[in-house]
């Protein structure tokens, strides 16, 4: 058994020892049993709304914990029995729905131990300081905030130790990040206020109000969960769309997005300079070095082109070492000046790359073809045809000796 799993079992045994060693016990009291049922039922329903992330092999649960109020009300032994009932309910639910992890049983013992120890610490801290806090304005609420901060930090500490023992975190910086990132002041305040209200209602025996508070929290959680899911779904869609239209190597738009933009701009009425650019003798670079060096040259070329793009210009990787630019809302002369600036930049720089355990500098040149026209309804030239013309002008640049721009202005023809 791994050190992390031994630590999980140690937490469980320690929590059991603390629970059995306490003098405060209301386990068989009818009030306790009623509170146990309410807390167990609500926590079980609330379980599906939790926000969970994974860190390596460990699961981090960001749901609100109500152990603080129940722990202060019931004491360590009462908290232990609540955690056993609730955590095994979750365990069997996961088994039934086939969502459990391979080590789910040991995770259950870890959760029982961790939350029972946290609740017990909260109980002893609260009972020790309450006589002093009661004499201060808002002392009860401030004390609960302190209890929540301490118990949350303790729970985060247990999780950090588990992750360190399992190898999920290996540095002190990672340990501190996990220890301190778990909650912010708003989270602490939300948990403290909810638990403080619940404890007051428990102590007063206001069961209807306690249920109402549970339901209110549940409804708010459903609303938040629904909105967070919608935001997550939108993020995933945007991410998928970005992946669908982005070139993996260079980060520029790909050919699929170029075809899409051609359809959108085809009848826009804009003056557009379509530029097709290609790295000269690129095959020789690959043959002389390797494809990794070739990729470095392509990436450098893409970044150089991107650096010269203006606000509404669009850059695409339309082929292996070929890129296409849509230069928008500018004159034919402005387009030529822009491309000449790219040629000058390439001429003055080289690409640094790793090759056979050496750092090398690779020089390269590029050729450009520019076709300038108006994408308007009724025009004889479409975006697709203008792209073909720009590609033919690129071939002219190659024939004329490379490292140059060849261009045509349809509006002057």
């Amino acid at each position: 058994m791994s050190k992390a799993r031994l630590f999980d079992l140690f937490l469980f045994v320690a929590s059991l020892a603390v629970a059995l060693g306490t003098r405060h016990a209301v386990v068989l009291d009818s009030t306790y049993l009623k509170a146990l049922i309410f807390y167990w039922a609500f926590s079980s329903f609330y379980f599906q709304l939790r926000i969970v992330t994974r860190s390596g092999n460990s699961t981090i649960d960001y749901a609100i914990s109500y152990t603080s109020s129940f722990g202060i009300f019931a004491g360590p032994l009462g908290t232990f029995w609540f955690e056993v009932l609730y955590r095994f309910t979750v365990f069997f639910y996961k088994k039934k729905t086939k969502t459990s992890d391979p080590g789910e049983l040991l995770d259950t013992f870890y959760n029982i131990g961790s939350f029972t120890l946290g609740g017990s610490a909260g109980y002893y801290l609260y009972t020790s300081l309450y006589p002093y806090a009661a004499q201060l304005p808002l002392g009860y609420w401030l004390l609960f905030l302190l209890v929540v901060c301490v118990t949350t930090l303790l729970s985060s500490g247990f999780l950090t130790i588990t992750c360190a023992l399992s190898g999920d975190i290996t540095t002190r910086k990672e340990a501190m990040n996990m220890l301190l990132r778990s909650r912010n002041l708003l989270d602490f305040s939300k948990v403290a206020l909810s638990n403080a209200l619940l404890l007051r209602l428990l102590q007063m025996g206001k069961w209807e109000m306690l249920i109402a508070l549970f339901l209110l929290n549940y409804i708010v959680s459903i609303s938040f969960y629904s909105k967070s899911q919608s935001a997550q779904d939108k993020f995933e869609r945007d991410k998928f769309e970005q992946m669908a239209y982005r070139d993996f190597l260079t980060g520029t738009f790909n050919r699929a997005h170029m075809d899409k933009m051609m359809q959108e701009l085809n009848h826009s009425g804009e003056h557009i300079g379509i530029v097709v650019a290609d790295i000269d003798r690129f095959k020789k670079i690959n043959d002389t070095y390797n494809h990794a060096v070739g990729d470095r040259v392509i990436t450098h070329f893409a970044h150089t082109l991107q650096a010269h793009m203006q606000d509404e210009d669009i850059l695409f990787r339309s082929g292996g070492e070929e890129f296409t630019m849509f230069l928008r809302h500018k004159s034919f002369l402005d387009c030529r000046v822009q491309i000449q600036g790219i040629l000058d930049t390439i001429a003055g720089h080289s690409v640094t790359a790793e090759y056979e355990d050496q750092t090398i500098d690779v020089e390269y040149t590029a050729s450009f073809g520019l076709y300038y026209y108006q994408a308007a309804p009724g025009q004889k030239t479409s975006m697709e045809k203008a792209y073909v013309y720009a590609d033919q002008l690129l071939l002219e640049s190659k024939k004329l000796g490379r490292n140059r721009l060849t261009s045509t202005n349809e509006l002057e023809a």
Side-chain angles (χ1 to χ4, degrees):
M1 185 177 293
S2 68
K3 292 180 180 180
R5 289 312 188 183
L6 287 173
F7 179 72
D8 294 347
L9 290 177
F10 166 76
L11 288 180
F12 175 79
V13 173
S15 69
L16 179 60
V18 171
L20 295 176
T22 182
R23 296 180 180 178
H24 179 86
V26 291
V27 176
L28 299 180
D29 182 86
S30 61
T31 304
Y32 168 78
L33 292 176
K34 188 183 294 186
L36 177 66
I37 292 171
F38 284 139
Y39 269 75
W40 165 76
F42 174 75
S43 298
S44 299
F45 281 118
Y46 184 74
F47 171 76
Q48 62 182 310
L49 301 177
R50 72 201 190 288
I51 299 173
V52 175
T53 60
R54 294 192 67 86
S55 177
N57 297 321
S58 302
T59 300
I60 303 174
D61 193 333
Y62 289 94
I64 296 177
S65 170
Y66 293 94
T67 304
S68 295
S69 57
F70 196 84
I72 293 171
F73 169 75
L77 184 57
T79 303
F80 177 81
W81 288 121
F82 164 71
E83 290 296 336
V84 168
L85 178 62
Y86 168 57
R87 299 298 169 180
F88 272 101
T89 299
V90 172
F91 172 76
F92 289 118
Y93 170 79
K94 287 186 174 182
K95 286 293 184 181
K96 184 178 180 180
T97 57
K98 298 181 179 180
T99 57
S100 61
D101 294 327
E104 193 67 46
L105 182 59
L106 288 175
D107 289 340
T108 299
F109 283 113
Y110 165 82
N111 285 326
I112 293 171
S114 175
F115 283 92
T116 298
L117 289 175
S120 299
Y123 165 76
Y124 285 115
L125 182 62
Y126 178 87
T127 54
S128 299
L129 297 180
Y130 181 75
Y132 307 100
Q135 301 176 26
L136 300 174
L138 301 177
Y140 172 76
W141 309 98
L142 294 174
L143 176 57
F144 241 101
L145 180 60
L146 175 63
V147 168
V148 168
C149 291
V150 171
T151 55
T152 303
L153 188 62
L154 184 63
S155 176
S156 298
F158 291 148
L159 181 62
T160 302
I161 294 172
T162 299
C163 290
L165 292 175
S166 64
D168 291 333
I169 58 176
T170 56
T171 66
R172 182 177 299 178
K173 182 178 180 181
E174 290 175 335
M176 292 302 297
N177 285 340
M178 177 167 287
L179 185 63
L180 299 177
R181 78 179 179 181
S182 56
R183 295 288 190 270
N184 55 41
L185 184 58
L186 285 177
D187 291 322
F188 286 136
S189 301
K190 176 177 61 178
V191 175
L193 182 60
S194 299
N195 278 277
L197 286 171
L198 285 171
L199 180 61
R200 277 285 191 246
L201 295 175
L202 276 174
Q203 293 170 335
M204 297 167 62
K206 301 289 187 179
W207 300 107
E208 290 186 2
M209 294 183 66
L210 183 137
I211 294 172
L213 180 57
F214 276 154
L215 291 175
L216 175 63
N217 200 322
Y218 188 74
I219 292 170
V220 171
S221 296
I222 290 176
S223 176
F224 172 76
Y225 183 78
S226 176
K227 290 178 180 178
S228 65
Q229 284 295 106
S230 298
Q232 180 67 21
D233 291 342
K234 183 180 184 304
F235 172 79
E236 293 294 337
R237 288 195 303 270
D238 292 345
K239 184 178 179 181
F240 178 78
E241 183 175 348
Q242 184 180 31
M243 290 175 63
Y245 289 130
R246 289 283 181 179
D247 173 58
F248 178 78
L249 177 64
T250 63
T252 60
F253 290 116
N254 59 18
R255 180 60 183 262
H257 191 59
M258 187 178 89
D259 293 340
K260 179 174 178 287
M261 290 305 301
M262 280 184 174
Q263 294 295 323
E264 292 182 9
L265 297 175
N266 216 2
H267 303 294
S268 63
E270 296 181 17
H271 289 174
I272 298 178
I274 298 183
V275 181
V276 181
D278 185 90
I279 299 173
D280 295 329
R281 297 187 175 90
F282 182 74
K283 185 177 184 300
K284 184 179 179 180
I285 296 175
N286 275 339
D287 293 343
T288 303
Y289 303 105
N290 54 36
H291 288 282
V293 174
D295 286 347
R296 285 285 299 129
V297 174
I298 289 175
T299 303
H300 182 274
F301 186 45
H303 290 170
T304 301
L305 295 174
Q306 189 69 58
H308 286 265
M309 295 295 99
Q310 297 175 5
D311 290 343
E312 296 185 85
D313 298 340
I314 314 174
L315 174 65
F316 312 90
R317 186 183 180 190
S318 48
E321 68 274 15
E322 179 186 284
F323 291 82
T324 299
M325 292 169 278
F326 293 168
L327 307 184
R328 305 170 64 189
H329 305 299
K330 59 193 66 178
S331 67
F332 175 63
L333 178 60
D334 289 338
C335 292
R336 286 188 55 89
V337 170
Q338 190 169 336
I339 301 305
Q340 188 58 51
I342 297 172
L343 284 166
D344 293 342
T345 299
I346 294 172
H349 294 83
S350 59
V351 182
T352 301
E354 299 295 327
Y355 176 68
E356 294 184 349
D357 299 325
Q358 299 181 25
T359 300
I360 60 173
D361 291 323
V362 181
E363 296 182 352
Y364 71 95
T365 60
S367 299
F368 296 79
L370 162 64
Y371 191 83
Y372 185 82
Y373 86 117
Q374 184 177 14
Q379 295 291 322
K380 63 180 181 180
T381 304
S382 65
M383 287 284 291
E384 292 78 8
K385 188 176 291 186
Y387 168 72
V388 173
Y389 291 157
D391 193 49
Q392 292 173 347
L393 292 168
L394 167 65
L395 295 178
E396 282 295 315
S397 294
K398 298 283 189 181
K399 293 177 183 179
L400 294 172
R402 300 179 176 83
N403 190 27
R404 67 187 65 231
L405 165 67
T406 303
S407 59
T408 293
N409 183 359
E410 182 185 276
L411 301 183
E412 294 181 354

